[in-house]
């Protein structure tokens, strides 16, 4: 007697499944039931399934993860926030299933994110507390030690460890001139007590103060420890990883100690020249993130995580590595790799579908300098907890792809 086909909630059929965590790169189907991945195999019979998405000609990946965003929009200003976007704008509406807000909130205004933004976002929203107790609501967020509230920060992290993953510290003026490395030490003291990791922004984009370059070597080797993250790895700002065009030796030493290195494109934290210099010296970032803000989403140069991925690919990083750097690696950093960042059967069905488009594309940095690329990534769909989510039109007048040359 023939076996009846399984009734799945969703089947994604005919796509190229690219799952770096499981070393899978093949034309396969994916079945989803009850918000979990139920099967990943060829030629799944979808005849009895509730919904089928045809991914022919597209790439199906674990849900993309953006490790550096500013997406707590709605808790700083009621409308027209000039700094933060809302979670779904950075997330599922852009084909991304999980985002980490990196320091938009501080200990004393974190309640809005935990109690209101997270429950109401379709995107999986995680966050780092800013070392400044009021976050970006009070820029510059650290002007003196009075802007840091150790006890409240510990309390917030311990009260919501599944949401608040650690502390973010920006090594910029005036915080570094007032406190030096006591600022990241304060961040480490919080995570040492409360749990989580520290992310540090390197490169003094605020003032290009030479003190930033003096602080970074000690920061990398004596303060940061295994599991911490350096963001803006490819920055050319004073105090980032380049000194007179050469990679500082402490970067590799920190990596050997288990410190991760993130791109964090952002507005002024990435140039093609500095990025190429870092990569040409054999130092590859671990993750690609956008550092998306309200200023950089429509006017650029950020636009979206997928555009940032294409931008980094112009430097010689493969599409396959770019997917790893936005799936399994950030999941590892966030401590969620047992359930997210892969397409393993039984894990949460967070899935992204993208189109790898060939062409003659022009990627742009904040100075206006452009670099040509032969591939761009266009988001097609984010599937969060097994449910397909609607996609936005895209940040450019014509949609998601960068400008074409010619």
């Amino acid at each position: 007697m023939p076996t009846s086909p399984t009734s799945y909630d969703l089947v994604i059929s005919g796509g190229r499944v690219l799952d770096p965590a499981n070393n899978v790169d093949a034309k396969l189907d994916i079945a989803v039931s009850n918000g979990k991945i139920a099967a990943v195999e060829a030629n799944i019979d979808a005849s009895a399934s509730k919904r089928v998405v045809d991914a022919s000609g597209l790439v199906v990946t674990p849900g993309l993860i953006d490790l550096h965003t500013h997406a707590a929009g709605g808790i700083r200003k009621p409308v027209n926030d000039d700094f933060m976007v809302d979670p779904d704008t950075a997330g599922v509406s852009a084909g991304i299933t999980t985002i980490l807000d990196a320091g938009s909130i501080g200990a004393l205004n974190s309640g809005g994110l935990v109690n209101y933004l997270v429950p109401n976002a379709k995107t999986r929203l995680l966050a780092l507390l800013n070392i400044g107790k009021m976050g970006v609501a009070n820029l510059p967020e650290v002007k003196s030690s009075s802007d840091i509230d150790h006890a409240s920060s510990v309390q917030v992290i311990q009260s919501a460890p599944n949401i608040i993953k650690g502390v973010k510290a920006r090594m910029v003026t005036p915080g570094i001139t007032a406190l030096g490395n006591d600022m990241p030490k304060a961040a480490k003291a919080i995570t040492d007590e409360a749990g989580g990791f520290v992310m540090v922004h390197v490169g003094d984009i605020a003032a290009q103060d030479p003190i930033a370059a003096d602080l970074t070597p000690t920061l990398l080797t004596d303060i940061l420890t295994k599991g911490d993250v350096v963001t803006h790895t490819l920055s050319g700002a004073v105090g980032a990883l380049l000194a007179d065009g050469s990679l500082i030796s402490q970067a590799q030493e920190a990596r050997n100690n288990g410190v991760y290195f993130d791109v964090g494109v952002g507005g002024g934290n990435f140039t093609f020249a500095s990025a190429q210099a870092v990569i040409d010296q054999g130092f590859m970032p671990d993750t690609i993130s956008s550092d998306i803000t309200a200023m950089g989403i429509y006017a650029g140069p950020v636009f979206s995580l997928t555009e940032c991925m294409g931008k980094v690919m112009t430097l010689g990083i493969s599409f396959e590595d770019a997917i790893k750097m936005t799936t399994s690696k950030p999941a590892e950093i966030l401590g969620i790799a047992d359930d997210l960042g892969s397409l393993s059967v039984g894990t949460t069905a967070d899935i992204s579908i993208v189109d790898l488009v060939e062409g003659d594309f022009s990627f742009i940095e904040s100075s206006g300098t452009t670099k040509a690329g032969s591939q761009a990534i266009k988001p097609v769909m984010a599937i969060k907890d097994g449910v397909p989510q609607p996609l936005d039109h895209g940040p450019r007048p014509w949609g998601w792809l960068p400008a074409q040359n010619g």
Side-chain angles (χ1 to χ4, degrees):
M1 189 172 178
T3 303
S4 298
T6 303
S7 177
Y8 297 109
D9 294 330
L10 173 69
V11 173
I12 304 164
S13 66
R16 173 191 173 191
V17 173
L18 181 56
D19 180 8
N22 290 310
N23 295 311
V24 172
D25 185 355
K27 184 176 179 180
L28 297 168
D29 300 340
I30 299 175
V32 174
S33 287
N34 299 317
K36 301 289 185 180
I37 295 174
V40 181
E41 56 194 56
N43 303 314
I44 293 175
D45 186 345
S47 61
S49 296
K50 296 176 183 176
R51 187 172 186 180
V52 178
V53 171
D54 183 1
S56 301
L58 303 173
V59 184
V60 184
T61 76
L64 296 176
I65 301 171
D66 194 340
L67 195 67
H68 187 159
T69 70
H70 291 283
I75 62 171
R76 181 169 176 259
K77 294 181 179 179
V79 293
N80 299 322
D81 195 302
D82 53 359
F83 187 82
M84 296 182 286
V85 299
D86 70 71
D88 291 338
T89 298
V92 293
S93 298
I96 315 303
T97 57
T98 297
I99 61 174
L100 180 71
D101 183 277
S104 300
I105 55 160
L108 300 189
N109 59 359
S110 56
L113 182 140
V114 172
N115 296 324
Y116 300 102
L117 287 187
V118 169
N120 288 292
K122 295 178 180 178
T123 306
R124 192 177 312 280
L125 173 61
L126 308 173
L128 298 175
L129 288 183
N130 197 303
I131 186 63
K133 62 189 177 185
M134 293 301 294
V136 300
N138 186 38
L139 288 171
E141 66 270 39
V142 177
K143 298 177 285 296
S144 70
S145 60
S146 65
D147 291 315
I148 300 172
D149 188 333
H150 174 95
S152 294
S153 298
V154 169
Q155 183 182 41
V156 169
I157 295 171
Q158 291 179 334
S159 70
N162 292 331
I163 298 171
I164 308 297
K165 294 295 181 177
V167 178
K168 165 83 173 297
R170 291 199 311 143
M171 298 297 288
V172 298
T173 303
I176 56 172
T177 50
L179 298 178
N181 274 332
D182 285 344
M183 181 167 57
K185 285 179 181 178
K188 283 296 290 181
I190 292 166
T191 58
D192 285 348
E193 183 174 348
F197 65 90
V198 169
M199 176 185 281
V200 290
H201 161 133
V202 293
D204 183 17
I205 58 170
Q208 305 292 340
D209 195 306
I211 193 175
D214 295 335
L215 296 172
T216 299
T218 300
L219 168 70
L220 293 176
T221 59
D222 295 354
I223 300 173
L224 300 181
T225 58
K226 183 177 181 180
D228 291 332
V229 178
V230 173
T231 191
H232 308 315
T233 297
L234 304 181
S235 171
V238 173
L241 302 187
L242 293 174
D244 297 322
S246 295
L247 184 75
I248 59 175
S249 62
Q250 292 84 2
Q252 186 59 56
E253 185 177 343
R255 168 164 281 169
N256 294 344
N257 292 336
V259 175
Y260 296 103
F261 288 83
D262 171 60
V263 173
V265 170
N269 298 298
F270 174 97
T271 69
F272 291 112
S274 60
Q276 199 70 69
V278 171
I279 290 173
D280 285 351
Q281 291 173 71
F283 198 82
M284 297 288 288
D286 294 295
T287 56
I288 300 170
S289 66
S290 68
D291 188 14
I292 200 163
T293 64
M295 300 93 76
I297 186 170
Y298 300 117
V302 176
F303 299 107
S304 65
L305 175 61
T306 48
E307 178 145 340
C308 291
M309 293 163 71
K311 189 175 296 189
V312 173
M313 285 162 55
T314 68
L315 304 168
I317 291 174
S318 69
F319 170 68
E320 293 77 12
D321 281 341
I323 295 298
K324 179 179 181 179
M325 296 162 79
T326 49
T327 57
S328 57
K329 207 64 179 181
E332 176 186 317
I333 292 169
L334 292 167
I336 56 176
D338 58 339
D339 195 47
L340 297 169
S342 78
L343 296 172
S344 299
V345 172
T347 61
T348 294
D350 279 14
I351 302 166
S352 292
I353 303 176
V354 301
D355 189 4
L356 180 61
V357 183
E358 304 287 334
D360 183 12
F361 297 103
S362 178
F363 293 91
I364 191 167
E365 65 175 59
S366 59
S367 70
T369 298
T370 60
K371 186 172 175 60
S374 61
Q375 294 180 317
I377 303 170
K378 179 182 178 182
V380 175
M381 181 182 290
I383 296 163
K384 164 72 165 37
D385 290 323
V387 180
Q389 303 294 328
L391 194 73
D392 189 70
H393 170 75
R396 298 176 181 273
W398 55 87
W400 288 101
L401 292 174
Q404 296 256 14
N405 288 313

